[in-house]
Amino acid sequence: MEIWRLPISASQRGKLISAGYTSLSSLSSISSSDLARGELNVSESEAMNILKVASHSRGSETSNASCSIVEGAQSAWDMLHDEESLMHITTSSADLDNILGGGIHCKEVTEIGWSSLSLIVNSVLKYKLTTAFGSESIIFMLIGGVPGIGKTQLGIQIAVNVQIPNDFGGLGGKAIYIDTEGSFMVERAFQIAEACIEDMSEYNRFLRKDFQECKIKMQPQDILENIFYFRICSYTEQIALINYLDKFLSEHKDVKVIVVDSVTFHFRQDFDDMALRTRVLSGMALKLMNLAKRFSLAVVLLNQVTTKHTEASFQLALALGDSWSHTCTNRIVLYWNGNERYAYIDKSPSLRSASAAYSVTARGIRNSSSSCKRIKMM
């Protein structure tokens, strides 16, 4: 159970979440005196009451969970069948989709980071980690890169492409876009939506099918209406929203992708206590894993770069450090090589290490072109 569901006052829940206590398990090993003396700024009697309520709720949850674990058992054969039947969200770049095994996978969390070429060459992050949640493996993928590499463009492209109808090989779903930096551009989203519909029309003409009815039903404004946009201005808002998504998704089950742009921004700005930050991020990662599995959707986390001192030199590294990097199963790094943009699979248990060139055009993400110049779109 998450903290926001505890039957305590709203102010107490807010203090707990701000202090990094996002689940009942995070309160299991703390004393009332430590809780009162910590970041909560409450009396010891209040702290004792909070722990009492949490203990009671945890006991009820444990008794219910034991039954659900047994009932939820799944054979490895069924797991393989489920993985083979998973849908993908195209990136609109065939080369990029190819190295991703078809595109962005549902029931997976894809983290996208961006970096310079030196990070790829000197990468020390060559490890693989499969995170199991329940009876299914949930995939985390990190995608990142330097400014101007097109990470927000890619996030918008995914939010648009998830709405491609099933008849055209898409999911026919909706998107949640969580903007922590204020970088979302609605005019750009409209351009990409227009291009997406034009691509479907071209695809339809190639197959010689009647696209008239679909064309009337899907317009660029319809695509924009199916992107639920949240502007986040602090890490407490971000934590609160992640906890709220469970309820939101229960009411909007046609949402098939969550894009967070970027997941690291407020945690780099506002945190001095690294232990607290690690605890908060771990809770948020578990929550996102659970959402990906329960609602059969894709989660795309965009990350930033920072500098890291290694072997008497400074290198670019993905933000939030080693503790956050271990929460990712797959990591994709975006980087410049001359005048071309590249995506590199730096870490994955199921995808081989590979790179693919791509370009950012007026129509969105596309295959690379030799005439593509290193310019900033919009």
Side-chain angles (χ1 to χ4, degrees):
M1 178 185 287
E2 291 78 22
I3 291 297
W4 68 274
R5 290 184 175 180
L6 276 181
I8 56 179
S9 69
S11 62
Q12 290 175 335
R13 286 196 298 267
K15 289 179 180 179
L16 285 170
I17 292 173
S18 297
Y21 301 102
T22 58
S23 63
L24 294 182
S25 59
S26 62
L27 293 173
S28 59
S29 60
I30 191 170
S31 66
S32 58
S33 58
D34 289 339
L35 189 63
R37 286 198 303 265
E39 302 91 341
L40 295 191
N41 192 26
V42 297
S43 65
E44 187 165 349
S45 60
E46 277 188 277
M48 289 179 63
N49 181 63
I50 291 172
L51 293 178
K52 183 178 179 181
V53 173
S55 177
H56 177 74
S57 300
R58 188 164 55 246
S60 302
E61 184 184 46
T62 302
S63 61
N64 294 332
S66 60
C67 297
S68 63
I69 291 173
V70 174
E71 293 173 357
Q74 186 181 29
S75 71
W77 177 255
D78 289 337
M79 291 173 63
L80 177 62
H81 177 73
D82 288 346
E83 289 184 7
E84 291 176 343
S85 62
L86 285 178
M87 298 291 290
H88 307 95
I89 305 170
T90 178
T91 63
S92 290
S93 167
D95 294 337
L96 187 51
D97 286 347
N98 184 47
I99 67 170
L100 290 173
I104 304 296
H105 295 226
C106 285
K107 285 193 175 181
E108 298 183 0
V109 181
T110 302
E111 193 174 3
I112 304 178
W114 55 104
S115 178
S116 69
L117 182 60
S118 62
L119 177 61
I120 307 300
V121 175
N122 301 309
S123 177
V124 295
L125 302 174
K126 302 297 184 184
Y127 48 82
K128 300 180 183 297
L129 173 67
T130 301
T131 303
F133 192 96
S135 58
E136 297 185 44
S137 292
I138 307 301
I139 307 300
F140 270 78
M141 189 178 293
L142 166 65
I143 307 179
V146 291
I149 197 67
K151 57 98 177 175
T152 297
Q153 310 274 345
L154 182 56
I156 295 174
Q157 186 77 63
I158 292 168
V160 169
N161 288 357
V162 73
Q163 302 180 49
I164 296 174
N166 301 106
D167 293 341
F168 293 88
L171 276 67
K174 298 181 180 180
I176 291 174
Y177 202 101
I178 301 173
D179 185 4
T180 66
E181 300 182 20
S183 56
F184 181 84
M185 300 166 287
V186 68
E187 297 86 358
R188 183 65 174 140
F190 189 87
Q191 288 179 347
I192 294 175
E194 284 184 316
C196 180
I197 293 176
E198 290 173 5
D199 288 344
M200 286 190 290
S201 300
E202 183 65 26
Y203 175 80
N204 174 74
R205 286 192 294 270
F206 177 76
L207 295 180
R208 298 182 180 178
K209 293 182 178 178
D210 181 12
F211 185 62
Q212 186 63 33
E213 184 178 353
C214 294
K215 185 176 181 180
I216 294 174
K217 288 183 178 180
M218 179 168 279
Q219 298 295 327
Q221 56 266 34
D222 299 324
I223 292 179
L224 265 60
E225 287 178 355
N226 290 333
I227 299 176
F228 301 106
Y229 176 80
F230 295 89
R231 178 70 172 98
I232 299 301
C233 298
S234 69
Y235 76 88
T236 53
E237 286 186 15
Q238 185 170 336
I239 295 169
L241 176 59
I242 297 298
N243 289 327
Y244 168 70
L245 285 180
D246 197 332
K247 181 176 184 296
F248 185 88
L249 291 170
S250 298
E251 299 171 353
H252 301 82
K253 294 187 177 180
D254 47 0
V255 170
K256 292 302 177 184
V257 68
I258 299 171
V259 179
V260 185
D261 181 14
S262 69
V263 68
T264 58
F265 183 72
H266 294 301
F267 290 92
R268 292 180 63 194
Q269 302 288 329
D270 304 333
F271 263 92
D272 295 323
D273 188 337
M274 294 297 102
L276 172 61
R277 188 177 79 169
T278 299
R279 186 166 69 241
V280 172
L281 288 170
S282 297
M284 188 171 65
L286 286 173
K287 182 67 177 179
L288 291 169
M289 291 167 63
N290 189 22
L291 293 175
K293 175 191 173 183
R294 283 186 56 204
F295 296 100
S296 298
L297 52 79
V299 178
V300 177
L301 307 178
L302 306 180
N303 199 354
Q304 296 177 320
V305 290
T306 185
T307 54
K308 181 178 181 179
H309 187 261
T310 305
E311 297 179 353
S313 65
F314 286 94
Q315 296 180 0
L316 289 176
L318 296 173
L320 297 186
D322 295 337
S323 59
W324 174 255
S325 67
H326 283 290
T327 66
C328 309
T329 305
N330 295 327
R331 174 178 296 110
I332 296 178
V333 179
L334 309 180
Y335 65 97
W336 284 104
N337 186 4
N339 285 331
E340 286 198 296
R341 298 172 173 89
Y342 277 80
Y344 174 76
I345 298 180
D346 182 63
K347 170 191 167 193
S348 173
S350 58
L351 301 171
R352 65 182 180 87
S353 295
S355 61
Y358 67 96
S359 62
V360 179
T361 73
R363 299 173 61 83
I365 304 298
R366 293 294 186 271
N367 281 341
S368 177
S369 169
S370 59
S371 62
C372 175
K373 301 298 182 182
R374 182 171 179 171
I375 59 174
K376 183 178 179 181
M377 297 300 300
M378 295 296 291

